[in-house]
Amino acid sequence: INSIRRKAMKNIFLFISMVVFFISCNISHAEEIAENNSLYRNIRDNTCIPLFTALKDGDVEAIKDCFSSKKCEKHKDLLDQGEDYSNFLKDFYRNADFLVTRITREKETTFVDIIIYFPNGIQSTRRWLLKEEKRKEGDKIWKVENEIIDPH
């Protein structure tokens, strides 16, 4: 029954991730941000790497810090499951590697393309739509607002 629960949680997580992103994006006119640009480094170092680490560690509180308030609200049921969801994330992302492949901007919209490499040889492409939000400390940080799984 535990394996059924894990499989159901995995399917729910993947389904919700695909459904939540209905924003049409025309990425072909977007400006690609160079890796040596401070915006690129800021997003990679302060959003992507902490989120990758939180997913691998099953650290739900850290995940909430990387998600926008809107995304946290959409995933409230999963994020509030406590130890079950934490353990699911640890198992799901165990030994996975994450790679930021591109960051682009179109007008006020910022996208991050990533690839997740799983140890069984499977890889998954994701596109995150980021939103700039104020932190509790008052400064701003980029947070994941929506996600497309395998956008290509």
Side-chain angles (χ1 to χ4, degrees):
I1 195 146
N2 225 1
S3 66
I4 293 171
R5 176 184 261 176
R6 286 183 192 274
K7 188 173 184 174
M9 286 172 59
K10 176 182 170 185
N11 288 336
I12 290 169
F13 177 78
L14 292 174
F15 176 75
I16 289 173
S17 295
M18 288 181 356
V19 171
V20 296
F21 190 83
F22 286 107
I23 297 173
S24 62
C25 59
N26 184 355
I27 204 78
S28 62
H29 294 24
E31 170 194 359
E32 187 163 349
I33 307 300
E35 287 186 43
N36 62 354
N37 184 294
S38 62
L39 175 62
Y40 187 102
R41 289 190 309 269
N42 181 353
I43 290 171
R44 181 195 60 211
D45 297 346
N46 297 316
T47 302
C48 298
I49 292 173
L51 181 53
F52 299 156
T53 302
L55 289 168
K56 289 178 84 165
D57 293 346
D59 186 345
V60 175
E61 290 306 312
I63 292 169
K64 289 178 183 179
D65 288 341
C66 297
F67 283 178
S68 71
S69 54
K70 180 179 172 183
K71 188 163 179 71
C72 283
E73 190 58 37
K74 284 182 181 180
H75 295 290
K76 185 174 179 15
D77 291 343
L78 282 175
L79 296 170
D80 288 345
Q81 285 187 14
E83 198 65 29
D84 284 343
Y85 190 56
S86 177
N87 289 333
F88 163 76
L89 290 170
K90 287 183 212 175
D91 289 342
F92 188 77
Y93 290 107
R94 178 176 289 130
N95 299 318
D97 291 314
F98 297 83
L99 176 66
V100 174
T101 60
R102 176 167 86 155
I103 298 176
T104 54
R105 289 200 74 170
E106 183 175 355
K107 298 180 183 170
E108 298 301 314
T109 306
T110 303
F111 299 94
V112 177
D113 292 339
I114 65 165
I115 299 175
I116 304 170
Y117 297 97
F118 292 96
N120 60 3
I122 294 175
Q123 63 184 30
S124 178
T125 305
R126 311 280 171 102
R127 175 168 290 149
W128 291 339
L129 168 69
L130 301 183
K131 178 182 180 189
E132 199 171 25
E133 285 191 0
K134 273 192 172 183
R135 286 199 240 200
K136 295 171 190 163
E137 298 83 19
D139 59 335
K140 292 187 176 183
I141 187 167
W142 292 95
K143 295 194 173 206
V144 177
E145 175 88 358
N146 283 309
E147 175 180 49
I148 296 177
I149 297 175
D150 297 319
H152 304 290

mmCIF file with all atom_site columns, all heavy atoms in Angstrom, residues 19-37:
data_model
loop_
_atom_site.group_PDB
_atom_site.id
_atom_site.type_symbol
_atom_site.label_atom_id
_atom_site.label_alt_id
_atom_site.label_comp_id
_atom_site.label_asym_id
_atom_site.label_entity_id
_atom_site.label_seq_id
_atom_site.pdbx_PDB_ins_code
_atom_site.Cartn_x
_atom_site.Cartn_y
_atom_site.Cartn_z
_atom_site.occupancy
_atom_site.B_iso_or_equiv
_atom_site.pdbx_formal_charge
_atom_site.auth_seq_id
_atom_site.auth_comp_id
_atom_site.auth_asym_id
_atom_site.auth_atom_id
_atom_site.pdbx_PDB_model_num
ATOM 1   N N   . VAL A 1 19 ? -0.280 20.754 -15.355 1.00 0.00 ? 19 VAL A N   1
ATOM 2   C CA  . VAL A 1 19 ? -1.525 21.495 -15.490 1.00 0.00 ? 19 VAL A CA  1
ATOM 3   C C   . VAL A 1 19 ? -1.394 22.966 -15.110 1.00 0.00 ? 19 VAL A C   1
ATOM 4   O O   . VAL A 1 19 ? -2.023 23.826 -15.728 1.00 0.00 ? 19 VAL A O   1
ATOM 5   C CB  . VAL A 1 19 ? -2.633 20.820 -14.649 1.00 0.00 ? 19 VAL A CB  1
ATOM 6   C CG1 . VAL A 1 19 ? -3.875 21.669 -14.594 1.00 0.00 ? 19 VAL A CG1 1
ATOM 7   C CG2 . VAL A 1 19 ? -2.954 19.452 -15.224 1.00 0.00 ? 19 VAL A CG2 1
ATOM 8   N N   . VAL A 1 20 ? -0.568 23.263 -14.115 1.00 0.00 ? 20 VAL A N   1
ATOM 9   C CA  . VAL A 1 20 ? -0.533 24.628 -13.579 1.00 0.00 ? 20 VAL A CA  1
ATOM 10  C C   . VAL A 1 20 ? -0.004 25.680 -14.540 1.00 0.00 ? 20 VAL A C   1
ATOM 11  O O   . VAL A 1 20 ? -0.199 26.864 -14.321 1.00 0.00 ? 20 VAL A O   1
ATOM 12  C CB  . VAL A 1 20 ? 0.256  24.708 -12.255 1.00 0.00 ? 20 VAL A CB  1
ATOM 13  C CG1 . VAL A 1 20 ? -0.422 23.912 -11.183 1.00 0.00 ? 20 VAL A CG1 1
ATOM 14  C CG2 . VAL A 1 20 ? 1.688  24.306 -12.434 1.00 0.00 ? 20 VAL A CG2 1
ATOM 15  N N   . PHE A 1 21 ? 0.670  25.261 -15.586 1.00 0.00 ? 21 PHE A N   1
ATOM 16  C CA  . PHE A 1 21 ? 1.272  26.260 -16.477 1.00 0.00 ? 21 PHE A CA  1
ATOM 17  C C   . PHE A 1 21 ? 0.452  26.376 -17.753 1.00 0.00 ? 21 PHE A C   1
ATOM 18  O O   . PHE A 1 21 ? 0.599  25.607 -18.667 1.00 0.00 ? 21 PHE A O   1
ATOM 19  C CB  . PHE A 1 21 ? 2.714  25.882 -16.790 1.00 0.00 ? 21 PHE A CB  1
ATOM 20  C CG  . PHE A 1 21 ? 3.443  26.969 -17.500 1.00 0.00 ? 21 PHE A CG  1
ATOM 21  C CD1 . PHE A 1 21 ? 4.000  27.993 -16.784 1.00 0.00 ? 21 PHE A CD1 1
ATOM 22  C CD2 . PHE A 1 21 ? 3.558  26.975 -18.869 1.00 0.00 ? 21 PHE A CD2 1
ATOM 23  C CE1 . PHE A 1 21 ? 4.681  28.995 -17.420 1.00 0.00 ? 21 PHE A CE1 1
ATOM 24  C CE2 . PHE A 1 21 ? 4.232  27.971 -19.518 1.00 0.00 ? 21 PHE A CE2 1
ATOM 25  C CZ  . PHE A 1 21 ? 4.796  28.981 -18.796 1.00 0.00 ? 21 PHE A CZ  1
ATOM 26  N N   . PHE A 1 22 ? -0.462 27.348 -17.813 1.00 0.00 ? 22 PHE A N   1
ATOM 27  C CA  . PHE A 1 22 ? -1.295 27.575 -18.983 1.00 0.00 ? 22 PHE A CA  1
ATOM 28  C C   . PHE A 1 22 ? -0.974 28.903 -19.654 1.00 0.00 ? 22 PHE A C   1
ATOM 29  O O   . PHE A 1 22 ? -1.715 29.385 -20.490 1.00 0.00 ? 22 PHE A O   1
ATOM 30  C CB  . PHE A 1 22 ? -2.780 27.561 -18.588 1.00 0.00 ? 22 PHE A CB  1
ATOM 31  C CG  . PHE A 1 22 ? -3.282 26.196 -18.297 1.00 0.00 ? 22 PHE A CG  1
ATOM 32  C CD1 . PHE A 1 22 ? -3.539 25.817 -16.987 1.00 0.00 ? 22 PHE A CD1 1
ATOM 33  C CD2 . PHE A 1 22 ? -3.459 25.273 -19.310 1.00 0.00 ? 22 PHE A CD2 1
ATOM 34  C CE1 . PHE A 1 22 ? -3.983 24.551 -16.705 1.00 0.00 ? 22 PHE A CE1 1
ATOM 35  C CE2 . PHE A 1 22 ? -3.917 24.012 -19.025 1.00 0.00 ? 22 PHE A CE2 1
ATOM 36  C CZ  . PHE A 1 22 ? -4.178 23.639 -17.719 1.00 0.00 ? 22 PHE A CZ  1
ATOM 37  N N   . ILE A 1 23 ? 0.136  29.475 -19.258 1.00 0.00 ? 23 ILE A N   1
ATOM 38  C CA  . ILE A 1 23 ? 0.514  30.746 -19.849 1.00 0.00 ? 23 ILE A CA  1
ATOM 39  C C   . ILE A 1 23 ? 1.185  30.454 -21.180 1.00 0.00 ? 23 ILE A C   1
ATOM 40  O O   . ILE A 1 23 ? 2.151  29.709 -21.244 1.00 0.00 ? 23 ILE A O   1
ATOM 41  C CB  . ILE A 1 23 ? 1.476  31.513 -18.919 1.00 0.00 ? 23 ILE A CB  1
ATOM 42  C CG1 . ILE A 1 23 ? 0.769  31.825 -17.621 1.00 0.00 ? 23 ILE A CG1 1
ATOM 43  C CG2 . ILE A 1 23 ? 2.011  32.756 -19.608 1.00 0.00 ? 23 ILE A CG2 1
ATOM 44  C CD1 . ILE A 1 23 ? 1.680  32.434 -16.583 1.00 0.00 ? 23 ILE A CD1 1
ATOM 45  N N   . SER A 1 24 ? 0.652  31.020 -22.222 1.00 0.00 ? 24 SER A N   1
ATOM 46  C CA  . SER A 1 24 ? 1.298  30.805 -23.518 1.00 0.00 ? 24 SER A CA  1
ATOM 47  C C   . SER A 1 24 ? 2.536  31.673 -23.574 1.00 0.00 ? 24 SER A C   1
ATOM 48  O O   . SER A 1 24 ? 2.513  32.842 -23.207 1.00 0.00 ? 24 SER A O   1
ATOM 49  C CB  . SER A 1 24 ? 0.350  31.157 -24.657 1.00 0.00 ? 24 SER A CB  1
ATOM 50  O OG  . SER A 1 24 ? 0.000  32.513 -24.591 1.00 0.00 ? 24 SER A OG  1
ATOM 51  N N   . CYS A 1 25 ? 3.603  31.068 -24.022 1.00 0.00 ? 25 CYS A N   1
ATOM 52  C CA  . CYS A 1 25 ? 4.847  31.820 -24.083 1.00 0.00 ? 25 CYS A CA  1
ATOM 53  C C   . CYS A 1 25 ? 5.461  31.671 -25.465 1.00 0.00 ? 25 CYS A C   1
ATOM 54  O O   . CYS A 1 25 ? 5.555  30.583 -25.989 1.00 0.00 ? 25 CYS A O   1
ATOM 55  C CB  . CYS A 1 25 ? 5.812  31.372 -22.998 1.00 0.00 ? 25 CYS A CB  1
ATOM 56  S SG  . CYS A 1 25 ? 6.250  29.642 -23.079 1.00 0.00 ? 25 CYS A SG  1
ATOM 57  N N   . ASN A 1 26 ? 5.829  32.767 -26.032 1.00 0.00 ? 26 ASN A N   1
ATOM 58  C CA  . ASN A 1 26 ? 6.509  32.771 -27.309 1.00 0.00 ? 26 ASN A CA  1
ATOM 59  C C   . ASN A 1 26 ? 7.980  33.018 -27.030 1.00 0.00 ? 26 ASN A C   1
ATOM 60  O O   . ASN A 1 26 ? 8.464  34.118 -27.093 1.00 0.00 ? 26 ASN A O   1
ATOM 61  C CB  . ASN A 1 26 ? 5.928  33.859 -28.215 1.00 0.00 ? 26 ASN A CB  1
ATOM 62  C CG  . ASN A 1 26 ? 6.539  33.816 -29.577 1.00 0.00 ? 26 ASN A CG  1
ATOM 63  O OD1 . ASN A 1 26 ? 7.454  33.041 -29.835 1.00 0.00 ? 26 ASN A OD1 1
ATOM 64  N ND2 . ASN A 1 26 ? 6.036  34.650 -30.475 1.00 0.00 ? 26 ASN A ND2 1
ATOM 65  N N   . ILE A 1 27 ? 8.683  31.938 -26.725 1.00 0.00 ? 27 ILE A N   1
ATOM 66  C CA  . ILE A 1 27 ? 10.069 32.035 -26.288 1.00 0.00 ? 27 ILE A CA  1
ATOM 67  C C   . ILE A 1 27 ? 10.995 32.420 -27.438 1.00 0.00 ? 27 ILE A C   1
ATOM 68  O O   . ILE A 1 27 ? 12.122 32.824 -27.225 1.00 0.00 ? 27 ILE A O   1
ATOM 69  C CB  . ILE A 1 27 ? 10.491 30.708 -25.597 1.00 0.00 ? 27 ILE A CB  1
ATOM 70  C CG1 . ILE A 1 27 ? 11.650 30.912 -24.647 1.00 0.00 ? 27 ILE A CG1 1
ATOM 71  C CG2 . ILE A 1 27 ? 10.819 29.642 -26.608 1.00 0.00 ? 27 ILE A CG2 1
ATOM 72  C CD1 . ILE A 1 27 ? 11.282 31.496 -23.353 1.00 0.00 ? 27 ILE A CD1 1
ATOM 73  N N   . SER A 1 28 ? 10.510 32.329 -28.697 1.00 0.00 ? 28 SER A N   1
ATOM 74  C CA  . SER A 1 28 ? 11.377 32.604 -29.843 1.00 0.00 ? 28 SER A CA  1
ATOM 75  C C   . SER A 1 28 ? 11.836 34.058 -29.888 1.00 0.00 ? 28 SER A C   1
ATOM 76  O O   . SER A 1 28 ? 12.864 34.356 -30.468 1.00 0.00 ? 28 SER A O   1
ATOM 77  C CB  . SER A 1 28 ? 10.659 32.232 -31.138 1.00 0.00 ? 28 SER A CB  1
ATOM 78  O OG  . SER A 1 28 ? 9.491  33.017 -31.279 1.00 0.00 ? 28 SER A OG  1
ATOM 79  N N   . HIS A 1 29 ? 11.090 34.993 -29.313 1.00 0.00 ? 29 HIS A N   1
ATOM 80  C CA  . HIS A 1 29 ? 11.467 36.400 -29.310 1.00 0.00 ? 29 HIS A CA  1
ATOM 81  C C   . HIS A 1 29 ? 12.140 36.811 -28.008 1.00 0.00 ? 29 HIS A C   1
ATOM 82  O O   . HIS A 1 29 ? 12.407 37.967 -27.781 1.00 0.00 ? 29 HIS A O   1
ATOM 83  C CB  . HIS A 1 29 ? 10.242 37.278 -29.541 1.00 0.00 ? 29 HIS A CB  1
ATOM 84  C CG  . HIS A 1 29 ? 9.638  37.119 -30.888 1.00 0.00 ? 29 HIS A CG  1
ATOM 85  N ND1 . HIS A 1 29 ? 9.775  36.000 -31.660 1.00 0.00 ? 29 HIS A ND1 1
ATOM 86  C CD2 . HIS A 1 29 ? 8.891  37.958 -31.629 1.00 0.00 ? 29 HIS A CD2 1
ATOM 87  C CE1 . HIS A 1 29 ? 9.133  36.147 -32.798 1.00 0.00 ? 29 HIS A CE1 1
ATOM 88  N NE2 . HIS A 1 29 ? 8.582  37.322 -32.805 1.00 0.00 ? 29 HIS A NE2 1
ATOM 89  N N   . ALA A 1 30 ? 12.413 35.849 -27.172 1.00 0.00 ? 30 ALA A N   1
ATOM 90  C CA  . ALA A 1 30 ? 12.980 36.147 -25.872 1.00 0.00 ? 30 ALA A CA  1
ATOM 91  C C   . ALA A 1 30 ? 14.478 36.402 -25.984 1.00 0.00 ? 30 ALA A C   1
ATOM 92  O O   . ALA A 1 30 ? 15.148 35.885 -26.868 1.00 0.00 ? 30 ALA A O   1
ATOM 93  C CB  . ALA A 1 30 ? 12.726 34.989 -24.914 1.00 0.00 ? 30 ALA A CB  1
ATOM 94  N N   . GLU A 1 31 ? 14.972 37.179 -25.042 1.00 0.00 ? 31 GLU A N   1
ATOM 95  C CA  . GLU A 1 31 ? 16.400 37.480 -24.957 1.00 0.00 ? 31 GLU A CA  1
ATOM 96  C C   . GLU A 1 31 ? 17.050 36.452 -24.041 1.00 0.00 ? 31 GLU A C   1
ATOM 97  O O   . GLU A 1 31 ? 16.636 36.263 -22.895 1.00 0.00 ? 31 GLU A O   1
ATOM 98  C CB  . GLU A 1 31 ? 16.582 38.881 -24.369 1.00 0.00 ? 31 GLU A CB  1
ATOM 99  C CG  . GLU A 1 31 ? 17.995 39.220 -24.021 1.00 0.00 ? 31 GLU A CG  1
ATOM 100 C CD  . GLU A 1 31 ? 18.104 40.462 -23.145 1.00 0.00 ? 31 GLU A CD  1
ATOM 101 O OE1 . GLU A 1 31 ? 17.070 41.069 -22.814 1.00 0.00 ? 31 GLU A OE1 1
ATOM 102 O OE2 . GLU A 1 31 ? 19.233 40.789 -22.778 1.00 0.00 ? 31 GLU A OE2 1
ATOM 103 N N   . GLU A 1 32 ? 18.057 35.759 -24.554 1.00 0.00 ? 32 GLU A N   1
ATOM 104 C CA  . GLU A 1 32 ? 18.777 34.804 -23.726 1.00 0.00 ? 32 GLU A CA  1
ATOM 105 C C   . GLU A 1 32 ? 19.764 35.560 -22.846 1.00 0.00 ? 32 GLU A C   1
ATOM 106 O O   . GLU A 1 32 ? 20.488 36.431 -23.309 1.00 0.00 ? 32 GLU A O   1
ATOM 107 C CB  . GLU A 1 32 ? 19.509 33.773 -24.583 1.00 0.00 ? 32 GLU A CB  1
ATOM 108 C CG  . GLU A 1 32 ? 20.127 32.682 -23.744 1.00 0.00 ? 32 GLU A CG  1
ATOM 109 C CD  . GLU A 1 32 ? 20.506 31.449 -24.540 1.00 0.00 ? 32 GLU A CD  1
ATOM 110 O OE1 . GLU A 1 32 ? 20.113 31.328 -25.711 1.00 0.00 ? 32 GLU A OE1 1
ATOM 111 O OE2 . GLU A 1 32 ? 21.212 30.593 -23.973 1.00 0.00 ? 32 GLU A OE2 1
ATOM 112 N N   . ILE A 1 33 ? 19.777 35.215 -21.567 1.00 0.00 ? 33 ILE A N   1
ATOM 113 C CA  . ILE A 1 33 ? 20.658 35.862 -20.599 1.00 0.00 ? 33 ILE A CA  1
ATOM 114 C C   . ILE A 1 33 ? 21.975 35.078 -20.558 1.00 0.00 ? 33 ILE A C   1
ATOM 115 O O   . ILE A 1 33 ? 21.974 33.860 -20.358 1.00 0.00 ? 33 ILE A O   1
ATOM 116 C CB  . ILE A 1 33 ? 20.012 35.892 -19.193 1.00 0.00 ? 33 ILE A CB  1
ATOM 117 C CG1 . ILE A 1 33 ? 18.615 36.504 -19.229 1.00 0.00 ? 33 ILE A CG1 1
ATOM 118 C CG2 . ILE A 1 33 ? 20.914 36.601 -18.201 1.00 0.00 ? 33 ILE A CG2 1
ATOM 119 C CD1 . ILE A 1 33 ? 18.549 37.921 -19.737 1.00 0.00 ? 33 ILE A CD1 1
ATOM 120 N N   . ALA A 1 34 ? 23.076 35.768 -20.733 1.00 0.00 ? 34 ALA A N   1
ATOM 121 C CA  . ALA A 1 34 ? 24.395 35.126 -20.724 1.00 0.00 ? 34 ALA A CA  1
ATOM 122 C C   . ALA A 1 34 ? 24.749 34.634 -19.327 1.00 0.00 ? 34 ALA A C   1
ATOM 123 O O   . ALA A 1 34 ? 24.368 35.244 -18.321 1.00 0.00 ? 34 ALA A O   1
ATOM 124 C CB  . ALA A 1 34 ? 25.455 36.110 -21.220 1.00 0.00 ? 34 ALA A CB  1
ATOM 125 N N   . GLU A 1 35 ? 25.507 33.535 -19.271 1.00 0.00 ? 35 GLU A N   1
ATOM 126 C CA  . GLU A 1 35 ? 25.894 32.947 -17.982 1.00 0.00 ? 35 GLU A CA  1
ATOM 127 C C   . GLU A 1 35 ? 26.709 33.897 -17.123 1.00 0.00 ? 35 GLU A C   1
ATOM 128 O O   . GLU A 1 35 ? 26.685 33.797 -15.898 1.00 0.00 ? 35 GLU A O   1
ATOM 129 C CB  . GLU A 1 35 ? 26.668 31.650 -18.202 1.00 0.00 ? 35 GLU A CB  1
ATOM 130 C CG  . GLU A 1 35 ? 25.791 30.513 -18.651 1.00 0.00 ? 35 GLU A CG  1
ATOM 131 C CD  . GLU A 1 35 ? 26.544 29.197 -18.730 1.00 0.00 ? 35 GLU A CD  1
ATOM 132 O OE1 . GLU A 1 35 ? 27.345 28.899 -17.811 1.00 0.00 ? 35 GLU A OE1 1
ATOM 133 O OE2 . GLU A 1 35 ? 26.340 28.469 -19.702 1.00 0.00 ? 35 GLU A OE2 1
ATOM 134 N N   . ASN A 1 36 ? 27.438 34.805 -17.739 1.00 0.00 ? 36 ASN A N   1
ATOM 135 C CA  . ASN A 1 36 ? 28.253 35.724 -16.947 1.00 0.00 ? 36 ASN A CA  1
ATOM 136 C C   . ASN A 1 36 ? 27.476 36.972 -16.513 1.00 0.00 ? 36 ASN A C   1
ATOM 137 O O   . ASN A 1 36 ? 28.017 37.840 -15.852 1.00 0.00 ? 36 ASN A O   1
ATOM 138 C CB  . ASN A 1 36 ? 29.521 36.126 -17.709 1.00 0.00 ? 36 ASN A CB  1
ATOM 139 C CG  . ASN A 1 36 ? 29.217 36.873 -18.998 1.00 0.00 ? 36 ASN A CG  1
ATOM 140 O OD1 . ASN A 1 36 ? 28.066 37.010 -19.400 1.00 0.00 ? 36 ASN A OD1 1
ATOM 141 N ND2 . ASN A 1 36 ? 30.270 37.330 -19.663 1.00 0.00 ? 36 ASN A ND2 1
ATOM 142 N N   . ASN A 1 37 ? 26.194 37.038 -16.846 1.00 0.00 ? 37 ASN A N   1
ATOM 143 C CA  . ASN A 1 37 ? 25.338 38.151 -16.461 1.00 0.00 ? 37 ASN A CA  1
ATOM 144 C C   . ASN A 1 37 ? 24.933 38.010 -14.990 1.00 0.00 ? 37 ASN A C   1
ATOM 145 O O   . ASN A 1 37 ? 24.660 36.903 -14.516 1.00 0.00 ? 37 ASN A O   1
ATOM 146 C CB  . ASN A 1 37 ? 24.102 38.159 -17.375 1.00 0.00 ? 37 ASN A CB  1
ATOM 147 C CG  . ASN A 1 37 ? 23.180 39.318 -17.139 1.00 0.00 ? 37 ASN A CG  1
ATOM 148 O OD1 . ASN A 1 37 ? 22.577 39.423 -16.078 1.00 0.00 ? 37 ASN A OD1 1
ATOM 149 N ND2 . ASN A 1 37 ? 23.058 40.172 -18.137 1.00 0.00 ? 37 ASN A ND2 1
#
